[in-house]
Amino acid sequence: MIALFIKCLIGSLAVLLIAILSKSKSFYIAGLVPLFPSFALIAHYIVATERNMEALRMTALFGIYSLLPYAAYLLAVYYFSYFLTLTGTLLSAVMVWVLFATILLGVWNRTMVVAA
């Protein structure tokens, strides 16, 4: 129960920091906050303790490849923001992320040997 509370606290602190930064003259730094590896740290700890170091390495490698859908999302936000509303921009960018994430998962599952 304490671990769940700590995870919630980390998430709420990240949201608070994003809100504060978005109102500052350095508003663009708010885009860096979600990239802090708080959830990755949790995932990596759990994978390494419940599986092994090889699984941790595989998880880290997949994390590197997962930057591709995120980059596609950011490019879509940038592109669509020129001619769509905020809602349209974000919905379109999320659809781009889902498409790229689906492709990534398909390619990963066909090419990488994942230990059971």
Side-chain angles (χ1 to χ4, degrees):
M1 189 61 133
I2 299 263
L4 183 58
F5 177 74
I6 290 171
K7 292 171 191 173
C8 293
L9 185 61
I10 290 170
S12 62
L13 289 174
V15 170
L16 180 62
L17 186 57
I18 290 168
I20 290 169
L21 287 170
S22 69
K23 296 178 191 304
S24 74
K25 70 177 185 171
S26 301
F27 60 88
Y28 48 87
I29 298 174
L32 184 61
V33 174
L35 299 178
F36 181 79
S38 54
F39 295 112
L41 286 167
I42 295 166
H44 294 155
Y45 178 81
I46 292 170
V47 167
T49 56
E50 291 186 6
R51 309 266 273 153
N52 55 37
M53 294 304 282
E54 178 59 31
L56 174 63
R57 286 189 288 276
M58 185 70 76
T59 302
L61 182 61
F62 184 79
I64 292 168
Y65 285 111
S66 72
L67 295 173
L68 296 171
Y70 186 68
Y73 166 82
L74 292 176
L75 288 169
V77 167
Y78 183 80
Y79 174 76
F80 291 129
S81 69
Y82 282 103
F83 54 88
L84 295 178
T85 64
L86 173 62
T87 303
T89 295
L90 296 179
L91 286 175
S92 298
V94 166
M95 288 189 296
V96 167
W97 182 91
V98 168
L99 173 66
F100 275 74
T102 301
I103 292 168
L104 171 62
L105 287 170
V107 170
W108 182 269
N109 286 329
R110 283 184 184 80
T111 60
M112 299 303 287
V113 178
V114 179

